[in-house]
């Protein structure tokens, strides 16, 4: 009697390309996968099923109906926002990592591998890998061509009878063999209790070691699988001055910063500290953290300390009354500060009572406060010690006291904390520290794409060579070039002069430098040298706080060539 044939493994190909997203060649991807499987020596071991324009409900039904061993999603991704499926009208419907992990948890005894062929899908891959043996996601934006090369190579290897680990490596190699420099974008996540986990960790460690020692060249990623990739029309371009509004598509994620902040702010008594020089995106991030908190049902309040009258910053009692009053106004509650300030006790105790007995007692949901530009208080050391000591005390109370667990703090500042705060009273050595970096090459490419600029790798290199990855300098250049005010050649000629588009920006920095002879002398040292320069620690950090230099260990270099060229001329450095 002959034995019954072995069951074929089902590959479920799920595709979504919503109307309001960039068109992708998903049909070509699945056709090339099908052709590769058909010609493979193990073609009788696989069955390819397809589901197109999937909605969340259709995704659930497809997994239920087809009982797949391998689930492959091709489409757009939004990082922490989720995978972009479709709603009933064909528009984008995001499904987050938690929901996807919950779905695959129900099929953990059946599904062996999940492939998420979409931008920034490593967020979802990590969550799903808690339940599924092998999950592949993308750690940044991925081009449509690179995604397709990976998928075809991956299934070619499976069709040849190779393991998932080998197929993953083969898919990465296929990207490289096609001449596309995105072979490090796919990431394989393995279920924690898997005995082969160390194999993948070893590859990631090798890739990390290579990336630390070799500067990746700029990569022009064409037609990324990110829902943020559609270009912005000139009429809808935001002026790059100030923060990036919540509805603006020009905001660029810096993974894993956003996801770390979004997860942290949901924890009782959370504290997040965002530090970066001016115009690096602190306020834009802070506003998105507050938005995420509101999406989770929090009450939120935003205070910018630049709006506080100077007199408030010199008097603790007046500062705390303004603080309480402004938050009350943000929450649209009745102003009752005067009632609590009648009591015969210290200002900090009055402020604490106002929060605990009125604000936190009145609202039923968590309260997330966004405190922006708090370094305005740094110049008044005695006031700063008292105010920041109060915030630290509230954070400590939030660990144990139910009322204070409702309070979450996001503190943003530019300068180093030079005020002599007691280490046990400072909020600047607890919580989640976030220091915003400059944009990396992939993020610069994404920003260029959004401005509809079809630049060559050389042109992108020229832009980076002038302003590096500074968010404001990049956005200002792309804004002016996109609207036709100048071209790239004119930009490169005029940028390091006061006649160029950065004239006001450069003059402000020049004024700050020449107002402090020690800082001016330090900056002269930095721009006169072609190598990193060792400065006194306080001078190095002050220049970094101004956004003029980058740290290289204990040494510094100019942040970008724009500053080197401008200050070399204006400060008279040979």
């Amino acid at each position: 009697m002959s034995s019954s044939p072995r069951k074929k493994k089902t590959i479920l190909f799920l595709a979504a390309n919503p109307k309001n997203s960039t068109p992708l060649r998903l049909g070509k991807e699945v056709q090339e996968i099908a052709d590769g499987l058909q010609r493979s020596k193990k073609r009788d071991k696989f069955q390819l099923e397809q589901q197109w324009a999937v909605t969340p409900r259709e995704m659930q039904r497809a997994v239920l109906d087809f009982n797949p061993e391998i689930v492959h999603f091709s489409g757009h991704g939004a990082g922490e926002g989720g995978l972009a499926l479709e709603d009933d009208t064909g528009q984008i419907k995001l499904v987050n990592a938690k929901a996807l992990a919950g779905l695959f948890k129900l099929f953990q005894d059946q599904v062996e591998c999940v492939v998420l062929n979409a931008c920034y899908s490593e967020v979802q891959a990590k969550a799903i890998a808690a339940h599924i043996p092998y999950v592949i996601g993308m750690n940044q934006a991925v081009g449509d061509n690179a995604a397709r090369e990976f998928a075809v190579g991956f299934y070619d290897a499976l069709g040849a009878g190779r393991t998932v680990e080998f197929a993953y490596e083969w898919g990465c190699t296929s990207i490289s063999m096609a001449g596309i420099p995105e072979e490090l974008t796919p990431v394989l996540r393995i279920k924690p209790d898997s005995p082969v986990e160390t194999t993948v960790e070893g590859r990631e460690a090798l890739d990390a070691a290579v990336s630390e020692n070799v500067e990746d060249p700029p990569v022009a990623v064409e037609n990324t699988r990110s829902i943020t990739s559609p270009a912005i029309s000139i009429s809808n371009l935001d002026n790059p001055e100030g923060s990036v509004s919540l509805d603006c598509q020009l905001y660029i994620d810096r993974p894993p910063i956003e996801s770390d902040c979004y997860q942290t702010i949901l924890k009782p008594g959370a504290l997040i500290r965002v530090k970066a020089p001016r115009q690096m995106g602190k306020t834009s991030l802070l506003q998105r953290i507050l938005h995420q908190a509101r999406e989770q049902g929090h009450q939120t309040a935003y205070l910018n300390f630049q709006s506080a009258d100077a007199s408030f910053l010199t008097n603790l009692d007046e500062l705390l009354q303004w603080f309480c009053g402004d938050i009350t106004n943000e929450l649209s509650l009745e102003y009752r500060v005067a009632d609590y300030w009648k009591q015969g006790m210290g200002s900090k105790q009055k402020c604490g009572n106002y929060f605990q007995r009125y604000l936190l007692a009145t609202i039923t949901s968590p309260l997330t406060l966004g405190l922006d530009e708090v370094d305005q208080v740094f110049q008044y050391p005695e006031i700063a010690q008292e105010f920041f000591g109060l915030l630290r005390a509230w954070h400590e109370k939030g660990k144990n006291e139910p009322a204070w667990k409702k309070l979450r703090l996001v503190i943003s500042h530019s300068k180093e904390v030079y005020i002599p705060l007691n280490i046990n009273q400072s909020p600047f050595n607890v919580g989640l520290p976030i220091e915003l970096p400059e944009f990396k090459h992939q993020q610069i490419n994404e920003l260029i794409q959004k401005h509809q600029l079809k630049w060559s790798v050389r042109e992108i290199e020229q832009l980076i060579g002038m302003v590096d990855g500074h968010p404001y300098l990049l956005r200002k250049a792309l804004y002016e070039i996109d609207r036709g005010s100048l071209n790239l050649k004119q930009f490169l000629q005029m940028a390091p002069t006061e006649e160029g588009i950065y004239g006001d920006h450069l003059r402000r920095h020049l004024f700050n430098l020449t107002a402090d002879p020690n800082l001016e002398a330090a900056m002269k040292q930095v721009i006169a040298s072609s190598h990193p320069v060792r400065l006194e620690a306080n001078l190095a950090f002050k220049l970094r706080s101004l956004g003029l230099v980058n740290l290289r260990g204990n040494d510094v270099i100019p942040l970008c060539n724009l500053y080197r060229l401008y200050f070399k001329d204006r400060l008279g450095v040979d």
Side-chain angles (χ1 to χ4, degrees):
M1 184 174 69
S2 62
S3 59
S4 59
R6 293 181 61 186
K7 177 181 178 295
K8 290 184 177 182
K9 286 189 176 182
T10 297
I11 302 169
L12 175 59
F13 184 94
L14 301 171
N17 199 167
K19 297 175 183 176
N20 53 337
S21 66
T22 302
L24 301 171
R25 301 180 69 185
L26 303 182
K28 181 176 176 62
E29 178 178 334
V30 73
Q31 185 59 55
E32 290 187 9
I33 291 172
D35 290 346
L37 288 172
Q38 184 60 38
R39 60 163 294 281
S40 70
K41 64 181 180 180
K42 300 288 185 180
R43 55 183 174 272
D44 59 330
K45 303 297 183 185
F46 295 96
Q47 175 70 33
L48 179 63
E49 301 288 352
Q50 303 176 34
Q51 191 77 24
W52 290 82
V54 289
T55 65
R57 181 176 297 165
E58 289 168 347
M59 183 180 198
Q60 287 179 269
R61 287 174 174 171
V63 177
L64 198 62
D65 293 344
F66 291 110
N67 296 312
E69 283 76 22
I70 300 171
V71 177
H72 180 108
F73 172 79
S74 280
H76 291 290
E80 187 67 26
L83 297 182
L85 304 188
E86 300 187 18
D87 63 16
D88 293 336
T89 65
Q91 302 297 308
I92 291 171
K93 176 67 176 181
L94 293 176
V95 179
N96 63 29
K98 181 179 179 182
L100 290 167
L103 169 65
F104 286 104
K105 181 180 180 181
L106 299 174
F107 293 88
Q108 59 187 327
D109 295 332
Q110 169 193 316
V111 176
E112 300 171 3
C113 178
V114 175
V115 180
L116 305 178
N117 217 6
C119 288
Y120 304 113
S121 54
E122 186 182 11
V123 177
Q124 290 75 40
K126 286 180 180 179
I128 296 171
H131 313 293
I132 302 301
Y134 300 99
V135 189
I136 296 169
M138 304 294 163
N139 62 18
Q140 56 190 3
V142 61
D144 195 30
N145 290 336
R148 184 168 58 254
E149 290 292 342
F150 174 80
V152 174
F154 180 79
Y155 291 107
D156 277 356
L158 288 186
R162 300 289 184 161
T163 64
V164 171
E165 301 102 298
F166 182 95
Y168 160 71
E169 298 279 1
W170 192 256
C172 294
T173 300
S174 297
I175 297 175
S176 185
M177 290 290 288
I180 304 173
E182 298 177 53
E183 68 275 8
L184 297 180
T185 300
V187 175
L188 174 61
R189 294 287 168 186
I190 295 180
K191 190 176 178 182
D193 57 3
S194 169
V196 297
E197 184 176 13
T198 53
T199 302
V200 179
E201 285 181 344
R203 181 185 188 275
E204 290 181 343
L206 176 60
D207 290 345
V210 170
S211 64
E212 284 179 4
N213 291 286
V214 179
E215 182 69 18
D216 292 335
V219 178
V221 180
E222 297 289 340
N223 198 24
T224 62
R225 295 189 171 194
S226 168
I227 65 167
T228 60
S229 62
I232 314 293
S233 66
I234 293 177
S235 61
N236 291 329
L237 276 178
D238 281 356
N239 191 301
E241 309 297 335
S243 62
V244 183
S245 61
L246 290 174
D247 60 353
C248 178
Q249 297 181 38
L250 291 174
Y251 183 82
I252 303 293
D253 280 347
R254 283 173 263 200
I257 287 174
E258 284 79 9
S259 60
D260 287 348
C261 290
Y262 298 159
Q263 293 170 20
T264 299
I265 205 61
L266 302 182
K267 300 175 182 178
L271 172 64
I272 300 174
R273 298 178 281 114
V274 181
K275 181 170 77 74
R278 287 189 60 187
Q279 299 178 307
M280 284 289 292
K282 299 186 304 299
T283 301
S284 300
L285 174 61
L286 191 155
Q287 292 289 3
R288 280 158 178 77
I289 297 171
L290 294 180
H291 175 72
Q292 181 71 13
R294 285 193 295 273
E295 290 289 298
Q296 300 300 321
H298 292 203
Q299 294 266 28
T300 64
Y302 170 78
L303 275 73
N304 189 321
F305 278 72
Q306 287 188 334
S307 67
D309 292 351
S311 61
F312 295 163
L313 300 177
T314 60
N315 184 293
L316 181 64
D317 196 66
E318 291 187 18
L319 174 65
L320 295 181
Q321 287 193 57
W322 167 79
F323 183 62
C324 290
D326 227 36
I327 293 172
T328 304
N329 183 59
E330 284 279 304
L331 296 175
S332 300
L333 295 176
E334 180 186 356
Y335 183 85
R336 294 184 57 190
V337 174
D339 295 342
Y340 284 80
W341 246 257
K342 292 177 182 177
Q343 304 168 16
M345 57 186 69
S347 299
K348 290 194 294 183
Q349 191 171 357
K350 293 174 187 176
C351 183
N353 286 342
Y354 188 79
F355 263 79
Q356 182 174 354
R357 298 177 184 178
Y358 178 46
L359 297 181
L360 296 176
T362 301
I363 62 176
T364 57
S365 58
L367 171 60
T368 297
L369 299 184
L371 308 182
D372 206 359
E373 304 284 359
V374 300
D375 33 12
Q376 295 294 309
V377 189
F378 292 174
Q379 56 190 314
Y380 306 101
E382 293 183 3
I383 303 299
Q385 288 186 38
E386 299 291 342
F387 178 68
F388 293 122
L390 179 64
L391 297 183
R392 170 65 180 265
W394 290 355
H395 172 64
E396 294 297 334
K397 287 182 178 181
K399 296 178 181 179
N400 301 301
E401 299 182 23
W404 289 99
K405 286 184 178 182
K406 294 167 67 174
L407 180 66
R408 292 95 195 271
L409 297 170
V410 188
I411 301 174
S412 164
H413 62 103
S414 300
K415 299 177 183 177
E416 289 296 316
V417 186
Y418 292 113
I419 50 178
L421 294 175
N422 184 313
I423 192 170
N424 296 315
Q425 297 177 343
S426 171
F428 298 105
N429 58 2
V430 292
L432 175 67
I434 297 293
E435 185 155 3
L436 292 180
E438 284 76 29
F439 287 156
K440 297 178 180 178
H441 289 139
Q442 289 282 12
Q443 293 157 333
I444 296 171
N445 287 321
E446 185 178 349
L447 192 59
I448 290 171
Q449 277 194 314
K450 289 173 182 289
H451 286 80
Q452 306 184 68
L453 297 171
K454 305 297 184 181
W455 282 359
S456 66
V457 170
R458 174 173 170 73
E459 289 172 315
I460 297 172
E461 286 177 335
Q462 289 177 318
L463 175 67
I464 296 174
M466 180 60 70
V467 299
D468 202 68
H470 190 289
Y472 166 74
L473 299 180
L474 285 165
R475 282 195 61 205
K476 180 70 172 174
L478 295 173
Y479 174 78
E480 298 296 345
I481 293 172
D482 196 11
R483 64 198 292 261
S485 298
L486 73 171
N487 57 36
L488 179 60
K489 181 178 179 181
Q490 293 168 331
F491 163 76
L492 294 172
Q493 290 173 341
M494 302 300 297
T497 72
E498 292 175 6
E499 185 183 354
I501 62 174
Y502 302 125
D504 291 340
H505 176 87
L506 293 171
R507 280 189 293 271
R508 175 174 59 81
H509 278 311
L510 180 64
F511 175 80
N512 289 331
L513 281 178
T514 55
D516 186 329
N518 292 328
L519 275 185
E520 181 180 356
M523 191 63 184
K524 285 182 176 180
Q525 277 186 261
V526 174
I527 60 178
S529 174
S530 58
H531 303 286
V533 173
R534 178 69 54 92
L535 299 175
E536 292 181 18
N538 66 319
L539 292 174
F541 281 108
K542 283 182 179 179
L543 289 175
R544 176 57 187 160
S545 295
L546 289 172
L548 294 175
V549 301
N550 258 334
L551 300 178
R552 289 292 182 268
N554 291 327
D555 301 330
V556 299
I557 60 172
L559 181 90
C560 58
N561 202 36
L562 174 76
Y563 294 154
R564 183 188 292 277
L565 294 172
Y566 175 74
F567 289 116
K568 196 169 186 179
D569 177 65
R570 295 296 275 150
L571 298 180
V573 177
D574 294 330

